[in-house]
Each structure stands twice: as structure tokens, then as C-alpha cells.
Amino acid sequence: MANRDALRELQARLASRLQAAKTEGMSVAWLAVQAGARKYLFPLGQSGEIVPVSHLQAVPYSVDWFLGVMNIRGGLFGVVDLAAYLAQDGVGSRQVVAGEPSVVTLNAALDVNCALQVDVLSGLRGADAFTQSHGPAEGSPPYLGNVFIDSAGESWQEINLRVLSQSPQFLSITA
């Protein structure tokens, strides 16, 4: 129960910092998450709300990475298991990570009622959190941006949510 309360507090703090960053123009550029064994960065301008996974309704005859639909503040959102989607796309592998998963909605400006399930919320990051960067690996899907390396040597892959949300493969959930 204490873990659940701590997760809710973290989500509330991240949501308020995310909103402050959008309205005040803070130097923070990304929402940092972990999906499976890999770490990712979502551009703040393309990210939406952070909510816990609850009352997920499965959709029959859909692909494995499409977890179903969920009511978020009165809107119906399709929920995608990000790690599973990326694994089937040849980016990483699906590993189970301990913790309570959360979903991050895509910004309403992207005009797609979609949320990405992530395993760990890691906070907000700015360019100053990284010591170096390089482009994506050759042959990577077009939605993958630069790879950033932090001071601990951890790699963080940027995901362009706009490009991802417009990908025909991402939009096609039928099995």
C-alpha cells in the first residue's frame, strides 16, 4: 500500500512539474521513462498526462502489444505496451520490470487518443543531464531520435511521439 501511495505522489509531482515546464518554458526537454530494460525520453511538447493503469478493457483480435482501451478523464484511450511494441519493431526486447506500470498519454495536439504503458517513470530531464549524444543506429525506425548518455553512462533513446503516432504500423492494431 505504501508503494502505491508513493507512486501516486511521484505521478502527481511529475504531472505538476510537466505542466509547469510547458507553461513556464523551463529548460526541461523530456519526460524520462523505462519500458522493459531500456530507457527512453519523450519530448515534453508531445507528452500528455501520466496516470496509473486501471480498468483496462481488452480488445479482441488485436495485436499483442495493444493492451486495450482505458477511460482517462472521460476520454477513451488505446493503451500500447511500449516495450512490446518496440521489441516487435526490432528495438530492444520485452523484459518484465518490477514496479507498477503507468501510462503516458500522447499530447492532445497529436490528435491520437493513445497512451503508452511504461514500467518506470524516471522524472524530467534537460540537456544538461547528459554528457554526450549521437544519432540513432543506422536502419532504426524513423520515430527514434538521438541517443543521450548521462553521467552514469546510461543510454537514453529519444522517441519522437509525433512520428510514432503517425506510423501505419502503430495505427494498425488488428491481429
Side-chain angles (χ1 to χ4, degrees), residues 48-68:
E49 289 187 69
I50 301 166
V51 295
V53 177
S54 63
H55 305 293
L56 193 59
Q57 181 63 47
V59 174
Y61 308 111
S62 60
V63 291
D64 292 343
W65 48 263
F66 187 77
L67 298 176

Side-chain angles (χ1 to χ4, degrees), residues 76-107:
L76 194 59
F77 286 77
V79 179
V80 171
D81 180 340
L82 181 62
Y85 177 82
L86 294 174
Q88 64 84 36
D89 215 9
V91 181
S93 63
R94 178 65 178 139
Q95 290 182 331
V96 177
V97 176
E100 291 189 43
S102 298
V103 295
V104 178
T105 64
L106 275 59
N107 190 305

Side-chain angles (χ1 to χ4, degrees), residues 149-165:
I149 312 296
D150 64 17
S151 59
E154 297 281 339
S155 294
W156 294 83
Q157 175 72 61
E158 182 179 30
I159 296 181
N160 184 323
L161 299 177
R162 179 180 308 281
V163 175
L164 176 67
S165 69

Side-chain angles (χ1 to χ4, degrees), residues 2 17 70 79 87 115 124 131 141 159 174:
R17 288 181 61 196
M70 188 170 124
V79 179
L124 301 175
T131 59
I159 296 181
T174 56

Side-chain angles (χ1 to χ4, degrees), residues 93-156:
S93 63
R94 178 65 178 139
Q95 290 182 331
V96 177
V97 176
E100 291 189 43
S102 298
V103 295
V104 178
T105 64
L106 275 59
N107 190 305
L110 298 180
D111 208 23
V112 177
N113 280 10
C114 181
L116 302 174
Q117 178 181 300
V118 297
D119 298 314
V120 177
L121 295 170
S122 300
L124 301 175
R125 299 288 192 278
D128 59 340
F130 304 103
T131 59
Q132 58 182 319
S133 67
H134 57 82
E138 190 171 322
S140 293
Y143 55 81
L144 292 183
N146 290 328
V147 175
F148 295 87
I149 312 296
D150 64 17
S151 59
E154 297 281 339
S155 294
W156 294 83

